[in-house]
């Protein structure tokens, strides 16, 4: 795979240099930004994997220890565990990438699955696995320990790469080895962000609305195709985070307010108009798990990501091929 060689990272380097010019940042600002990223990264990383907690609910669970009615214990644990793992990598960021060990990765994974799947938490898989809805063939479990040794050696050998490229490649390589039964994506994103923090970059913020681009970019590269779309998603995620920091230090802190992002989400009526479906159909598909809610307004209105329009069309296309809703659910990306 020709990894990120197609990307020009000069723009990111310049923005980081600009941010470095403001250091040391005011402690109160650092605390505010770190807390915002804690919730946003927890919400988006879990949402990519299918967790249905909204941004506001994630904040309530992580910051206040509240339980959300109608949400499973697993979804609550995914939120609190990710927040703990993120705090862990912030502490680990004081070390160098070349000092990272397999045990560090196992520790991240153990934190992610603690209380959810204790038998597999922090342990490499011993069974074959497949990615739901994907044709990607994953390595035989017997090869995982050797592949992970090579993976760690690669982190040291590739230090000449731009830090963002190195972090993105580490993420790609880890999810491609798929060393765990579950939690591979969350662990890989945390490792990627750990490497970014170690090099003085803010964490990559992959928005829920970019989920399909992110997953399809990964899959295309894993199937032997070009990797440019995957690396572009990571580039954009880091660029977005740099902008958030730069806006904050210059007094333009609107981007650090989660409520601002909800303005671009769609209410069900807007989704119906753009997709050509009725409100009733969309509500039914949401109830059946074919569509997911991105957030909920203070007055209780459900909001959908704009890319849901394409998902709705995909559902109709599959129905035209005479697939049942149950079959469609397994064929759509999660």
């Amino acid at each position: 795979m020709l990894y990120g060689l197609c990307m020009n990272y000069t723009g990111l380097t310049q923005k980081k240099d600009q941010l470095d010019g403001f250091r040391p940042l005011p402690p109160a600002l650092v605390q505010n930004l770190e807390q915002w990223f804690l919730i946003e990264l927890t919400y988006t990383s879990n949402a990519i994997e299918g967790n249905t907690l909204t941004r506001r609910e994630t904040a309530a669970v992580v910051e206040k220890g509240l339980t959300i009615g109608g949400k499973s214990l697993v979804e609550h644990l995914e939120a609190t565990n990710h927040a703990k793992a993120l705090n862990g990598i912030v502490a680990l960021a004081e070390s160098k990438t070349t000092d990272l060990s397999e045990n560090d990765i196992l520790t991240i994974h153990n934190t992610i699955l603690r209380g959810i799947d204790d038998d597999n938490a922090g342990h490499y898989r011993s069974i074959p696995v497949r990615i739901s809805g994907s044709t990607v063939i994953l390595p035989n479990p017997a090869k995982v320990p050797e592949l992970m040794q090579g993976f760690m050696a690669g982190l040291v050998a590739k230090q000449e790469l731009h830090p963002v490229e190195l972090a993105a490649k580490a993420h790609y390589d880890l999810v491609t080895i798929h060393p765990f039964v579950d939690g591979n994506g969350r662990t890989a994103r945390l490792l990627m962000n750990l490497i970014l923090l170690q090099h003085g970059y803010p964490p990559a913020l992959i928005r829920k609305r970019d989920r399909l681009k992110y997953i399809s970019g990964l899959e295309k590269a894993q199937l032997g195709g070009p990797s440019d779309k995957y690396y572009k998603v990571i580039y954009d995620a880091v660029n977005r985070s740099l902008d958030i920091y730069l806006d904050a230090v210059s007094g333009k802190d609107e981007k650090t307010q989660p409520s601002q992002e909800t303005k671009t989400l769609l209410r069900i009526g807007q989704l119906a108009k753009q997709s050509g479906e009725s409100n009733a159909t969309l509500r039914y598909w949401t109830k059946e798990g074919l569509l997911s809610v991105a957030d909920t307004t203070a007055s209780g209105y459900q909001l959908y990501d704009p890319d849901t329009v394409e998902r709705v069309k995909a559902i109709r296309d599959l129905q035209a091929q005479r697939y049942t809703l149950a079959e469609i659910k397994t064929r759509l990306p999660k």
Side-chain angles (χ1 to χ4, degrees), residues 17 45 110 121 253 297 299 325:
D17 290 344
S45 189
N110 180 63
D253 62 353
T297 67
S299 53
L325 289 183

Side-chain angles (χ1 to χ4, degrees), residues 123-196:
H123 300 289
Y124 295 144
R125 61 183 170 92
S126 59
I127 60 172
V129 293
R130 295 187 68 90
I131 302 174
S132 179
S134 173
T135 58
V136 173
I137 304 299
L138 300 171
N140 185 293
K143 296 182 179 179
V144 168
E146 180 182 353
L147 289 171
M148 286 302 297
Q149 290 177 8
F151 170 76
M152 299 309 301
L155 282 182
V156 175
K158 298 296 182 182
Q159 288 300 304
E160 79 282 358
L161 297 178
H162 187 280
V164 176
E165 184 176 2
L166 177 66
K169 186 178 187 303
H171 170 288
Y172 173 84
D173 287 345
L174 190 63
V175 294
T176 301
I177 294 172
H178 223 75
F180 307 111
V181 171
D182 190 21
N184 293 279
R186 281 164 289 179
T187 301
R189 288 188 290 276
L190 283 163
L191 175 63
M192 172 176 66
N193 284 328
L194 169 57
I195 294 171
L196 288 170

Side-chain angles (χ1 to χ4, degrees), residues 36 55-56 254 256-264 295:
W36 185 83
R55 181 182 289 104
R56 189 176 292 108
E254 292 86 355
T256 64
Q257 301 300 322
S259 60
Q260 295 295 317
E261 188 172 335
T262 64
K263 292 183 179 180
T264 64
D295 208 340

Side-chain angles (χ1 to χ4, degrees), residues 68-102:
I68 309 300
K71 304 296 182 178
S72 68
L73 173 61
V74 168
E75 289 185 303
H76 285 78
L77 286 172
E78 286 175 346
T80 55
N81 286 358
H82 188 279
K84 289 176 183 176
L86 191 54
N87 283 328
I89 71 165
V90 169
L92 197 56
E94 298 299 321
S95 63
K96 297 180 180 180
T97 302
T98 50
D99 294 331
L100 289 176
S101 67
E102 287 184 66

Side-chain angles (χ1 to χ4, degrees), residues 268 271-273 275-285 316:
I268 193 166
L271 178 60
K273 183 176 181 180
S275 64
E277 299 292 342
S278 67
N279 287 10
T281 296
L282 297 176
R283 288 195 186 95
Y284 178 67
W285 286 352
R316 276 301 183 203

Side-chain angles (χ1 to χ4, degrees), residues 179-242:
F180 307 111
V181 171
D182 190 21
N184 293 279
R186 281 164 289 179
T187 301
R189 288 188 290 276
L190 283 163
L191 175 63
M192 172 176 66
N193 284 328
L194 169 57
I195 294 171
L196 288 170
L197 291 173
Q198 287 176 324
H199 288 83
Y201 281 82
L205 185 58
I206 303 173
R207 300 173 301 187
K208 184 181 177 183
R209 70 183 70 176
D210 297 324
R211 181 180 180 277
L212 292 179
K213 288 192 296 184
Y214 165 65
I215 292 176
S216 62
L218 269 173
E219 184 176 36
K220 181 172 290 186
Q222 289 171 325
L223 291 173
S227 60
D228 55 331
K229 290 186 177 179
Y230 161 70
Y231 278 95
K232 181 63 163 55
V233 169
I234 305 304
Y235 180 101
D236 289 344
V238 176
N239 189 50
R240 186 178 307 115
S241 295
L242 282 166

